[in-house]
Amino acid sequence: MLDRTENIAAAVENWLAQFEDALTMPDDIGLKALFHPDSYWRDVLALSWTLQTINGRDAVLKTLKAQAAQAAPSGFAIDPDRAAPRWVTRAGTSSIEAIFRFETALGRGDGILRLIPDAANGNRLKAWTLLTALEELKGFEEQLGVARPRGSAYSRDFRGPNWLDLRKIATDYTDRDPTVLVIGGGQSGLCIAARLKQLQVDTLIVDRELRIGDNWRKRYHALTLHNQVQVNHLPYMLFPPNWPTYIPKDKLANWFEAYVESMELNFWTGTEFEGGSYDENEGRWTVTLRRADGSQRTMRPRHVVLATGVSGIPSLPDIPSLKNFAGSVIHSSQYTDGEEWKGKKALVIGTGNSGHDIAQDLHSSGAEVTMVQRSSTLVVSIEPSAQLVYSPYNEGTLEDNDLIAVSMPLELARRSHALTSDKSRELDKDLLAGLERVGFKLDFGEDNTGWQFKYLTRGGGYYFNVGCSDLLIKGAIKLKQFADIDGFVADGARMNDGKIITADLIVLATGYKRQEELVRKLFGDAIEQRVGTIWGFGEAQELRNMYVRTGQPGLWFIAGGLAQCRIGSKHLALQIKAIEEGLIPRVVNSTMPETAVA
């Protein structure tokens, strides 16, 4: 086995050189010798202008050869500015992992190669996984660092508008429409707007809240992020090094305000997006915005980005008898603080993160709380179990770790998360046993793939224990199963045995409707059907309709946690820029000649 750094690097350089040569050959013989039979290729825009994952050597070679002929990739070499090639273990398999760089006809890219020995071929090192990812477009590079804009220091116009005047003109949109309209000013909206700003694409964010950051600031009083600070940076501006490991909601909300100001993002608060229609001939939307003062503004952007997150319209379960309840009924999105319920009785229906956190907050405020479980729930301790999936971010650079995250094909990511889930279950065995003793129904995700795949497939269904599970085990918070409730009466919930669980408050921690519902509400049935399913994984092994061109030209989707939005926003922004510069068609599978592939 190669174990010296120079030997590992030489093996990688040799493979990359052979790979580049083989791509230009008329047959597949050279390429076939470089890939393991059980190999994977993930391309992020670089050769395909979409996000795609190909499994198996024969399928990889067929697609790679066809797309490389159009994209003309070249200059494959180890990137000296990134982590050096090294042995790692990914998805339970030991491999040489190397970060490389390359160019295409229109862009520059980064990639990750993983080599493993092929026992059937004399242990020759062959590609197990390959990532090719577009990083920038030639001629449209971001103006960062030494390439930063010079400003007006050397050509000051003392009679003309200053920086503040120009920012006001840019933000007011009195004489123009934005090229891109972003709906939603949370992390997804800020990330895509910041990326587009650096690519010099005129972008406006609109949000119905009256203050930037209110989408976090108005959440329940005790909320903090459940993953750690090193994972959650926004593009271009890292959180200060003295920030706490787990960021409080109000601290994050205030950072959003500072971010918008520092990154010079155009943002309209108190603005409701009322809907829009698309003109196929002109390639533009006609949309209606209602401002805080009640006035309306019609705009005609070329692109609309729906950045409202996975959590859009609250999902209210159909419980006919709930109308009999005489107390207060609220959705978890309306919950703010437990102090007003001190000494009262509360039922919290739902056992995801929000349900647990709200139940714990009510209990801490002196309320008598009963949680009602509707379906099995995945539970992991906040530390270390919930953080295991982010362990690569504890070392190395953010850029390297983001690329590593992107590089894992779906099948291997599922395998990796199943291994992590096994480790979590062992670490949390006492906690889980205690929950089972009190009747809590547990699961560990589809095929044991853990909490993150629950999020990626359904947007919830799990809880990071920060104390509520312990309260359930001790009996300080009671637990009931929804199936044991016969119906609701004026005083509370009547159980199947006739007993009444009295309550003053019922909190429906029942999640949110799928994004398709919001698309239908804003754009109508035809566009919703044209787009199709959003979120979750389809046959293409990628999140459906996320960060890529959709069946509806000019309509884009971005959602997820801060890390996911930081990564996905780059991919989305590059596509919009490429469309605006005429490098790729705005319609997927257009008849436009495919010479416009980076």
Side-chain angles (χ1 to χ4, degrees):
M1 178 183 290
L2 298 174
D3 54 5
R4 295 179 60 181
T5 302
E6 58 268 29
N7 292 340
I8 294 172
V12 171
E13 288 171 345
N14 180 55
W15 190 96
L16 290 173
Q18 293 184 67
F19 177 65
E20 185 167 343
D21 287 342
L23 286 176
T24 64
M25 297 298 174
D27 55 50
D28 293 341
I29 297 174
L31 273 180
K32 189 172 183 179
L34 295 174
F35 283 83
H36 196 279
D38 181 25
S39 57
Y40 304 82
W41 172 41
R42 188 168 193 229
D43 184 62
V44 178
L45 308 180
L47 276 67
S48 63
W49 272 115
T50 189
L51 276 60
Q52 67 174 23
T53 299
I54 311 295
N55 296 7
R57 179 171 60 193
D58 291 343
V60 167
L61 298 188
K62 179 181 178 181
T63 309
L64 179 59
K65 202 68 182 287
Q67 294 179 349
Q70 298 171 346
S74 64
F76 291 88
I78 294 171
D79 191 334
D81 298 324
R82 312 294 285 262
R86 63 205 189 279
W87 282 99
V88 299
T89 299
R90 308 287 186 207
T93 297
S94 179
S95 68
I96 292 174
E97 180 177 87
I99 300 177
F100 62 90
R101 60 188 181 189
F102 64 100
E103 294 190 8
T104 65
L106 298 178
R108 299 181 185 90
D110 288 325
I112 289 185
L113 168 67
R114 296 188 182 94
L115 299 172
I116 61 174
D118 182 0
N121 190 203
N123 284 329
R124 177 177 177 178
L125 288 172
K126 296 184 179 181
W128 175 44
T129 75
L130 177 68
L131 168 74
T132 48
L134 182 66
E135 291 296 315
E136 63 181 7
L137 296 169
K138 293 177 180 177
F140 307 104
E141 295 83 0
E142 295 181 344
Q143 295 182 329
L144 303 173
V146 295
R148 72 175 75 239
R150 294 182 65 84
S152 57
Y154 296 96
S155 57
R156 299 182 188 180
D157 182 356
F158 286 89
R159 301 288 296 173
N162 68 2
W163 172 85
L164 186 59
D165 298 328
L166 294 174
R167 284 296 302 132
K168 187 176 188 307
I169 292 169
T171 304
D172 285 349
Y173 286 94
T174 56
D175 59 351
R176 76 193 198 286
D177 290 334
T179 301
V180 180
L181 182 68
V182 177
I183 307 168
Q187 62 263 20
S188 54
L190 298 190
C191 285
I192 184 57
R195 298 285 192 188
L196 290 168
K197 171 79 174 182
Q198 297 309 307
L199 292 172
Q200 300 182 50
V201 178
D202 192 358
T203 303
L204 171 64
I205 306 168
V206 297
D207 194 285
R208 62 189 175 191
E209 299 293 351
L210 295 177
R211 183 181 172 190
I212 297 168
D214 272 355
N215 39 36
W216 280 96
R217 194 177 287 109
K218 288 186 174 181
R219 299 191 191 188
Y220 55 89
H221 188 72
L223 177 64
T224 63
L225 270 63
H226 288 107
N227 51 2
Q228 296 181 348
V229 65
Q230 68 271 20
V231 181
N232 288 321
H233 302 287
L234 296 178
Y236 312 112
M237 282 179 60
L238 303 186
F239 296 127
N242 65 335
W243 271 38
T245 300
Y246 297 99
I247 306 173
K249 68 177 181 70
D250 297 284
K251 193 174 186 67
L252 183 64
N254 293 345
W255 182 259
F256 280 11
E257 283 188 309
Y259 187 81
V260 167
E261 176 64 25
S262 298
M263 296 301 299
E264 299 184 14
L265 306 183
N266 300 333
F267 198 124
W268 284 5
T269 56
T271 303
E272 187 83 25
F273 181 88
E274 294 190 329
S277 60
Y278 188 74
D279 188 316
E280 298 281 353
N281 294 324
E282 293 192 21
R284 287 187 180 276
W285 293 90
T286 299
V287 303
T288 303
L289 306 175
R290 184 174 294 278
R291 305 298 305 277
D293 61 5
S295 64
Q296 283 190 329
R297 171 74 184 269
T298 299
M299 284 186 163
R300 303 198 67 216
R302 287 171 56 82
H303 306 269
V304 172
V305 179
L306 203 60
T308 52
V310 178
S311 304
I313 302 172
S315 177
L316 301 175
D318 182 16
I319 308 175
S321 64
L322 194 57
K323 66 180 182 295
N324 300 328
F325 180 59
S328 298
V329 179
I330 61 173
H331 186 263
S332 57
S333 59
Q334 301 168 294
Y335 180 85
T336 56
D337 188 30
E339 289 303 310
E340 62 183 296
W341 301 102
K342 183 177 182 179
K344 303 292 182 66
K345 297 181 179 180
L347 287 172
V348 178
I349 300 177
T351 49
N353 269 320
S354 293
H356 277 87
D357 282 354
I358 289 170
Q360 187 171 357
D361 189 61
L362 285 164
H363 171 78
S364 299
S365 297
E368 184 179 322
V369 185
T370 300
M371 289 191 75
V372 179
Q373 186 174 30
R374 297 195 303 161
S375 58
S376 62
T377 306
L378 189 153
V379 176
V380 293
S381 58
I382 187 71
E383 284 190 1
S385 294
Q387 310 307 320
L388 292 176
V389 298
Y390 297 122
S391 57
Y393 283 86
N394 296 328
E395 57 185 30
T397 68
L398 185 68
E399 291 75 17
D400 285 358
N401 288 320
D402 280 353
L403 197 65
I404 290 169
V406 169
S407 72
M408 291 303 292
L410 177 62
E411 183 177 314
L412 297 185
R414 289 175 60 87
R415 189 185 304 173
S416 177
H417 283 263
L419 292 171
T420 301
S421 181
D422 286 341
K423 186 172 182 179
S424 296
R425 290 169 71 172
E426 177 61 27
L427 290 168
D428 295 337
K429 60 183 179 182
D430 292 339
L431 172 71
L432 301 178
L435 287 170
E436 288 182 323
R437 281 196 303 272
V438 297
F440 194 94
K441 296 180 179 178
L442 293 166
D443 71 59
F444 304 97
E446 182 182 4
D447 298 326
N448 192 45
T449 50
W451 71 263
Q452 194 163 67
F453 269 89
K454 270 208 161 187
Y455 176 70
L456 293 172
T457 55
R458 53 175 287 190
Y462 56 89
Y463 169 56
F464 296 167
N465 180 39
V466 291
C468 192
S469 292
D470 305 270
L471 294 171
L472 285 167
I473 292 169
K474 292 190 298 184
I477 292 177
K478 305 300 182 184
L479 177 69
K480 297 294 182 182
Q481 294 296 323
F482 188 81
D484 294 332
I485 297 177
D486 177 62
F488 291 89
V489 295
D491 292 337
R494 183 180 61 228
M495 309 304 290
N496 291 332
D497 61 6
K499 181 180 178 182
I500 303 294
I501 300 177
T502 59
D504 304 289
L505 169 70
I506 294 177
V507 180
L508 300 173
T510 48
Y512 295 82
K513 294 182 179 179
R514 297 187 62 87
Q515 284 185 290
E516 294 92 319
E517 297 288 336
L518 183 58
V519 174
R520 184 183 300 116
K521 176 184 176 182
L522 296 177
F523 303 107
D525 291 343
I527 288 179
E528 184 270 327
Q529 292 170 10
R530 196 174 300 160
V531 171
T533 305
I534 305 165
W535 203 251
F537 293 98
E539 293 181 1
Q541 304 178 75
E542 302 287 346
L543 282 174
R544 289 173 289 202
N545 286 307
M546 275 288 144
Y547 326 118
V548 293
R549 286 174 288 176
T550 69
Q552 171 56 56
L555 184 59
W556 308 79
F557 298 89
I558 181 170
L562 278 85
Q564 203 171 1
C565 292
R566 179 183 66 247
I567 295 169
S569 60
K570 172 181 279 190
H571 309 152
L572 197 163
L574 284 169
Q575 292 169 86
I576 290 177
K577 180 64 173 178
I579 289 171
E580 287 305 296
E581 298 299 334
L583 303 178
I584 62 172
R586 57 189 169 89
V587 182
V588 183
N589 296 326
S590 167
T591 56
M592 175 182 284
E594 286 296 327
T595 53
V597 177

